[in-house]
């Protein structure tokens, strides 16, 4: 029996992944800071639909001092860990209000460094396991319109790359998922993104399942984003700084 | 805003349709809108779940508990019967009552107090609803069962969404040994012979007759009676018995566009009916088939409603008491056969004792029930008005969940009007019928 731990299980992508992995027979540990009625119903639903064991646990990415005891308290240690939590924040506000900027960085970057670091050490000692973490195309180049969030994801992508290289020798796999746009509650208040380059949560879940199964290193969802980001990365700085991206 | 319509593609309206999965958000939405109607999967035919502002239950899609000891399942109102079957069949359970499609929500099943091919033997879904949670006009969630809030419990079953939003349902299931049905099909040369067969085979759990509506004279109402029982392990063949509780994820065929209007002329209906009648040459055929083709033959073709073209169609389903029922059916079938507005599907079933716990808007009354599809046209509306007169003359009534056109008079003559509901919950249908 394999067990998946989802960090940030109330995210739309997290829910889609819960269905995807449970369908393949995975038991689930749903970790969320928001253990409300919805999460309880979700846990019941997943276990009834797919005949798997599902537990809900409390987890806050910002509460780094509790991460060690959080991981130690898990009765069954997961074979696969999926980190999907993330915080877009308010960029405008973050420019003048450091608390907001700090919250963005703490949620996306520091939170992952803390919890994935603990899990990585355990997996390394057992010489098995898979860590999958969702970063973002926003981390590929700092853009005027969201470079605080972008830099937190850039830090995350770099962290994952190093972690992968470190753990390769211990048979532990690290996959970095780099989505472009996803239609989820994170962006529901923003202007609608172009359909052909916007993925559904279910598409992201399929890509994540594949990354797990085929042990992929870096996955762009949708694949066209690899090309888009290649171009964006290669725009010379003197031109890039004049764009409104 | 977007176009919203139900299975008959008529009427089509501009509406603001919103779905939430968090109860607090639903409550907020209900409170801040003056008039709304809940909508499930839009498998009613007309305007029962249409309104300018619609709350869609499709994100209320979670199973809450499944007690395999006692055969009880609890799930949110937007869960489809298809999903329930996928969960319960492998554990040896079946829906106690099922309509002719599995693409409806459990909330819609309760709101229409649906019946199946077993009403004469096992009643409507009302008998198997242990309890449900209802979000009322003040946004409060109320637990309803025979013992708690019994009036609201009764009024909501078959209440057509007019009492509030059903949030979750607790349903008693039927135990089965296999997912197969032992079927007997019998040909009848006319309606008289068919009604005799209904009497003769009334002990069967499931029965339904498919009627050719275009045949006249001695062949008026020639038909095929399909009887069924849940098959036991012993009754399965070698291949079936490898997986006696198979769910069969059947592939769907799509009808990819709205058919041009002329495709479904009288000739093509004739051909359809003829083929259906002659498909099985023997008088009687016995076999064991999976529940999918038995209960849901039309589900194999996704969006088959599109074959009626962009103008849409309507289903005319009435029930009339057994007393003088034969006479009434003959009158109606003769009128339809002479009208040339042929019906693609005509389905005859019988209803048993009236349901003990159900809203005054609930449809089944002891007697016959006939359902016919008609492509929308001016001529059809006139015909249906005339059929209404006959149905009323025989103390019958029409099924609200299929209706898109009856007038308020017809409704008030056939249903008791002892029904009041919060002004917040209204459909275009309830406004048209002055319910
Ligand atoms: C091919 C086909 C075959 C059918 N065969 C049968 C049959 O054999 N027997 C039978 O009885 N019916 C039959 N029906 C009709 C169907 O079962 C009903 O119309 C059913 O109510 C549709 O459910 P829905 O989820 O699609 O709801 P909708 O069509 O969206 O809504 C139907 C009604 O239920 C109300 N409603 C829906 N959800 C809720 C909720 N959560 N809370 C409160 N009110 C709600 C709506 O307001 C509306 O009044 C058939 C329909 C089709 C298309
Ligand atoms: N949507 C996009 O266009 C897009 C594009 C690229 C990358 N991504 C990334 O995809 C991932 C999934 O996001 P999504 O699109 O599914 O959005 P989402 O539904 O908003 O999910 C984000 C989740 O992160 C959780 N979260 C935030 N801070 C947390 C904390 N301190 N502790 C625990 N959980 C916390 C939130 O929990 P609450 O429910 O409790 O608030 C929320 O459920 C994120 O990492 C996001 O950055 C999204």
């Amino acid at each position: 029996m394999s067990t998946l731990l989802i960090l940030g299980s109330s995210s739309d992508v997290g829910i889609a992944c819960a269905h995807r992995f449970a369908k393949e027979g995975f038991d689930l540990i749903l970790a969320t800071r928001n253990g409300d009625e919805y999460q309880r119903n979700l846990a019941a639903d997943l276990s009834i639909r797919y005949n798997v064991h599902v537990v809900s646990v409390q987890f806050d990415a910002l509460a780094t001092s509790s991460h060690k005891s959080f991981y130690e308290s898990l009765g069954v240690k997961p074979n696969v860990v999926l980190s999907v939590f993330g915080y877009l924040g308010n960029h405008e506000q973050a420019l003048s209000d450091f608390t907001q900027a700090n919250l963005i960085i703490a949620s996306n970057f520091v939170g992952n460094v803390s919890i994935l670091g603990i899990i990585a050490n355990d997996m390394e000692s057992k010489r098995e396991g898979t860590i999958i973490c969702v970063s973002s195309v926003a981390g590929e180049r700092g853009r005027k319109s969201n470079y605080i969030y972008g830099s937190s994801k850039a830090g995350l992508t770099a962290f994952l790359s190093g972690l992968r290289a470190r753990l390769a020798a211990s048979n532990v796999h690290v996959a970095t998922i780099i989505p472009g746009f996803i239609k989820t509650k994170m962006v529901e208040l923003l202007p609608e993104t172009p359909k052909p380059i916007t993925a559904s949560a279910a598409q992201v879940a399929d890509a994540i399942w594949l990354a797990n199964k085929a042990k992929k290193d870096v996955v762009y969802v949708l694949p066209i984003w690899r090309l888009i980001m290649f171009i964006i990365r290669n725009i010379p700085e003197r031109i890039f700084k004049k764009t409104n991206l | 805003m977007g176009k919203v319509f139900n299975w008959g593609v008529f009427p089509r309206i501009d509406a603001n349709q919103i779905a939430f999965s968090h109860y607090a958000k639903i409550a907020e939405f209900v409170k801040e809108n003056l008039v709304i109607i809940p909508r499930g999967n839009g498998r009613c035919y007309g305007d029962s779940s249409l309104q300018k502002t619609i709350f869609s239950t499709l994100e209320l899609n979670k199973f809450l508990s499944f007690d395999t000891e006692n055969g009880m399942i609890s799930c949110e109102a937007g869960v489809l019967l298809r999903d329930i079957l996928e969960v319960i069949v492998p554990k040896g359970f079946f829906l106690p009552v099922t309509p002719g499609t599995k693409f409806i929500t459990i909330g819609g099943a309760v709101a229409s107090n649906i019946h199946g091919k077993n009403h004469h033997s096992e009643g409507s879904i009302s008998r198997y609803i242990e309890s449900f949670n209802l979000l009322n006009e003040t946004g409060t969630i109320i637990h309803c069962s025979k013992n708690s809030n019994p009036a609201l419990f009764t009024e909501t079953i078959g209440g057509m969404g007019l009492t509030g939003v059903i949030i979750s349902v607790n349903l008693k299931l039927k135990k089965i040994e296999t997912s197969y049905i032992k079927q007997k099909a019998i040909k009848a040369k006319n309606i008289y012979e068919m009604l005799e067969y209904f009497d003769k085979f009334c002990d069967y759990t499931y029965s339904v007759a498919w009627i050719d509506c275009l045949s006249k004279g001695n062949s008026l109402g020639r038909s095929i009676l399909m009887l069924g029982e849940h098959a036991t392990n012993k009754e399965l063949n070698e291949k079936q018995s490898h997986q006696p509780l198979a769910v069969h994820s059947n592939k769907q065929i799509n009808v990819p566009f709205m058919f041009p209007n002329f495709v479904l002329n009288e000739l093509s209906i004739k051909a359809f009916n003829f083929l259906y009648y002659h498909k099985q040459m023997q008088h009687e055929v016995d076999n064991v088939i999976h529940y999918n083709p038995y209960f849901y033959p039309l589900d194999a073709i996704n969006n088959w409603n599109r074959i009626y073209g962009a103008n849409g169609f309507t289903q005319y389903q009435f029930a009339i008491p057994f007393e003088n029922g034969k006479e009434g059916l003959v009158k109606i079938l003769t009128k339809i056969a002479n009208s040339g507005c042929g019906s693609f599907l005509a389905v005859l079933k019988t209803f048993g004792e009236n349901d003990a716990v159900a809203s005054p808007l609930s449809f089944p009354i002891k007697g016959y029930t006939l359902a016919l599809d008609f492509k929308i046209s001016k001529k059809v509306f006139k015909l249906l008005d005339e059929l209404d007169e006959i149905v009323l003359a025989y103390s019958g009534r029409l099924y609200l969940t299929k209706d898109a056109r009856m007038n308020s008079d017809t409704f008030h003559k056939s249903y008791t009007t002892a029904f009041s509901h919060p002004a917040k919950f209204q459909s275009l249908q309830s406004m048209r019928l002055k319910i």
Side-chain angles (χ1 to χ4, degrees):
Chain A
M1 254 313 176
S2 302
T3 301
L4 170 73
L5 165 65
I6 304 181
L7 299 165
S9 58
S10 49
S11 87
D12 289 343
V13 171
I15 295 169
C17 289
H19 280 274
R20 190 67 187 82
F21 279 72
K23 197 171 144 194
E24 305 287 344
F26 270 75
D27 287 337
L28 303 173
I29 305 169
L30 305 177
T32 169
R33 63 176 171 183
N34 201 351
D36 58 2
E37 185 172 39
Y38 182 87
Q39 275 293 306
R40 285 198 300 280
N41 292 350
L42 177 68
D45 179 64
L46 290 161
S47 93
I48 294 170
R49 271 181 202 269
Y50 306 107
N51 254 317
V52 296
H53 191 67
V54 185
V55 294
S56 276
V57 291
Q58 187 71 20
F59 169 77
D60 186 343
L62 295 171
T64 48
S65 61
S66 69
H67 285 179
K68 205 166 166 54
S69 60
F70 159 80
Y71 186 68
E72 276 166 3
S73 72
L74 298 179
V76 175
K77 297 286 180 273
N79 318 72
V80 182
V81 172
L82 170 63
S83 165
V84 272
F85 62 82
Y87 179 61
L88 187 56
N90 183 327
H91 184 70
E92 284 305 307
Q93 190 191 336
L95 297 183
S96 54
D97 171 4
F98 178 69
T99 344
Q100 174 69 23
N102 200 23
L103 186 59
I104 296 172
I105 298 162
S107 306
N108 295 313
F109 181 59
V110 182
N112 271 311
V113 173
S114 163
I115 184 68
L116 296 186
I118 292 164
I119 294 170
N121 291 348
D122 183 44
M123 287 183 169
E124 186 180 42
S125 70
K126 292 181 181 145
R127 300 188 64 83
E128 64 179 4
T130 298
I131 294 172
I132 306 170
C133 182
V134 179
S135 188
S136 170
V137 292
E140 307 269 288
R141 189 166 193 180
R143 287 177 293 118
K144 183 165 143 185
S145 61
N146 78 342
Y147 63 85
I148 308 270
Y149 172 80
S151 57
S152 70
K153 290 290 194 182
L156 178 59
T157 302
F159 168 77
L160 293 168
S161 158
L163 191 66
R164 174 165 41 249
R166 171 189 143 202
L167 296 178
S170 320
N171 188 38
V172 175
H173 182 65
V174 177
T176 310
I177 309 297
I178 306 195
F181 302 132
I182 320 171
K183 199 170 157 40
T184 64
K185 69 177 189 295
M186 181 175 273
V187 293
E188 70 191 349
L189 298 175
L190 304 180
E192 198 162 337
T193 53
K195 275 221 176 76
I197 53 170
T198 303
S200 66
Q203 275 174 312
V204 180
D206 280 340
I208 289 177
W209 169 251
L210 202 70
N212 171 60
K213 220 175 90 171
K215 296 215 184 303
K216 298 206 171 183
D217 297 323
V218 180
V219 177
Y220 285 78
V221 231
L222 312 151
I224 179 78
W225 279 99
R226 192 181 281 275
L227 178 67
I228 296 173
M229 295 324 292
F230 177 80
I231 294 166
I232 290 184
R233 272 196 312 269
N234 284 289
I235 299 173
E237 200 65 32
R238 74 192 132 75
I239 299 173
F240 191 71
K241 71 183 184 191
K242 291 183 189 135
T243 63
N244 254 332
L245 287 171
Chain B
M1 278 292 198
K3 287 276 178 219
V4 184
F5 51 88
N6 290 321
W7 193 241
V9 199
F10 172 83
R12 277 144 91 93
I13 62 155
D14 287 312
N16 179 22
Q17 178 169 234
I18 286 189
F20 300 112
S21 50
H22 287 75
Y23 304 159
K25 280 201 182 161
I26 305 172
E28 215 174 285
F29 183 72
V30 164
K31 277 191 280 185
E32 74 197 14
N33 282 285
L34 219 52
V35 174
I36 66 161
I37 193 74
R39 181 166 187 262
N41 206 30
R43 249 52 175 192
C44 67
Y45 280 66
D47 48 3
S48 309
S49 61
L50 298 183
Q51 187 49 270
K52 284 199 202 88
T53 308
I54 296 172
F55 171 68
S56 164
T57 64
L58 292 180
E59 284 188 14
L60 284 174
N61 54 9
K62 283 169 213 64
F63 287 91
L64 302 174
S65 69
F66 181 19
D67 172 354
T68 49
E69 288 283 294
N70 301 303
M72 296 293 306
I73 194 143
S74 168
C75 59
E76 290 183 324
V79 173
L80 297 181
L81 300 189
R82 176 200 60 190
D83 295 359
I84 298 182
L85 287 166
E86 272 174 23
V87 164
I88 65 174
V89 169
K91 305 266 183 191
F93 293 99
F94 203 71
L95 295 165
V97 168
T98 177
T101 172
K102 53 183 182 295
F103 296 111
I104 72 160
T105 65
I106 187 67
V110 174
S112 294
N113 188 20
I114 57 150
H115 60 268
K117 302 169 181 182
N118 55 345
H119 192 283
H120 63 285
S121 55
E122 300 180 319
S124 67
I125 192 117
S126 64
R127 277 205 210 171
Y128 309 93
I129 303 164
E130 282 287 311
S131 63
F132 51 76
N133 283 347
L134 183 79
L135 189 137
N136 73 5
E137 70 279 14
T138 64
T140 314
I141 294 181
I142 301 179
H143 184 71
C144 302
S145 71
K146 266 186 201 148
N147 302 319
S148 62
N149 302 297
L152 199 52
F153 182 65
T154 304
E155 277 163 18
T156 300
I157 299 176
M160 303 305 293
L162 303 180
T163 58
V165 181
I166 301 164
I167 296 289
S168 60
V169 178
N170 199 4
L171 187 73
K172 176 111 190 90
L173 302 171
K174 179 184 222 176
K175 189 110 190 83
I176 51 171
E177 219 176 288
T178 79
S179 58
Y180 290 83
I181 301 289
K182 203 174 99 184
Q183 170 181 257
K184 182 195 275 305
I186 304 168
K187 270 205 294 207
K189 62 177 185 291
N190 57 33
I191 182 73
Y192 300 102
E193 195 175 276
M194 176 52 69
L195 297 186
E196 274 166 31
Y197 286 149
F198 263 107
D199 277 347
K200 183 169 162 197
F201 294 107
C202 67
D203 287 343
Y204 271 81
T205 307
Y206 299 108
S207 62
V208 61
W210 294 69
I211 299 190
D212 167 5
C213 292
L214 294 183
S215 52
K216 300 184 192 178
N218 279 341
S219 308
L220 184 79
R222 64 176 178 172
S223 36
I224 302 173
L225 179 64
M226 314 268 231
L227 303 161
E229 295 292 347
H230 289 279
T232 59
N233 271 318
K234 283 203 298 279
E235 289 160 341
L236 301 190
N237 67 28
E238 165 80 33
K239 202 170 146 225
Q240 292 164 336
S241 59
H242 287 315
Q243 221 192 328
L245 290 167
V247 177
H248 287 217
S249 58
N250 50 336
K251 285 202 190 72
Q252 290 208 333
I253 312 160
N254 260 302
V255 177
F257 53 86
M258 295 282 183
F259 263 55
N261 282 338
F262 61 81
V263 171
L264 209 83
N265 56 20
E266 199 186 314
L267 265 181
S268 60
I269 296 172
K270 253 188 186 139
F272 176 87
N273 280 336
F274 182 84
L275 276 178
Y276 205 88
Y277 190 74
H278 288 273
K279 202 171 92 183
Q280 37 159 119
M281 301 305 286
Q282 294 124 295
H283 172 68
E284 196 180 306
V285 178
D286 290 274
N287 55 358
V288 174
I289 63 171
H290 188 258
Y291 72 79
N292 266 325
Y294 184 78
F295 286 111
Y296 314 113
L298 291 166
D299 283 353
I301 312 167
N302 204 3
N303 299 330
W304 61 260
N305 54 339
R306 295 186 186 183
I307 61 174
Y308 286 94
N311 291 343
F313 70 117
T314 187
Q315 186 168 86
Y316 190 77
Q317 181 170 3
F318 64 87
I320 52 173
F322 286 127
E323 273 145 58
N324 306 321
K326 189 192 287 182
E327 194 185 296
L329 284 179
V330 168
K331 266 199 189 156
I332 287 173
L333 285 174
T334 310
K335 188 150 199 96
I336 293 167
N338 291 338
S339 74
C341 304
S343 173
F344 198 46
L345 291 174
V347 174
L348 180 67
K349 290 179 280 207
T350 55
F351 285 152
E353 294 307 323
N354 292 357
D355 301 306
V357 179
S359 152
L361 304 182
S362 162
F363 171 61
I365 47 171
K366 193 173 181 184
Y368 296 111
T369 180
L370 187 71
L372 314 117
D373 289 357
F374 291 98
K375 191 162 148 325
I376 297 286
S377 71
K378 274 213 184 90
K379 200 167 129 194
V380 158
F381 284 134
K382 194 168 155 287
L383 171 70
L384 298 184
D385 284 341
E386 289 167 17
L387 296 184
D388 286 353
E389 293 302 317
I390 308 180
V391 170
L392 286 180
Y394 285 88
S395 310
R397 49 165 57 177
L398 303 188
Y399 195 2
L400 292 177
T401 212
K402 306 288 176 78
D403 164 67
R405 38 69 46 194
M406 88 166 118
N407 62 42
S408 156
D409 258 8
T410 305
F411 170 76
H412 286 279
K413 280 181 189 157
S414 47
Y415 283 86
T416 66
T417 43
F419 181 80
S420 65
H421 63 97
K424 185 171 293 270
F425 299 108
Q426 291 185 60
S427 60
L428 294 187
Q429 179 177 56
S430 76
M431 288 159 78
R432 170 166 56 82
L433 299 178
K434 304 192 176 68
I435 303 179

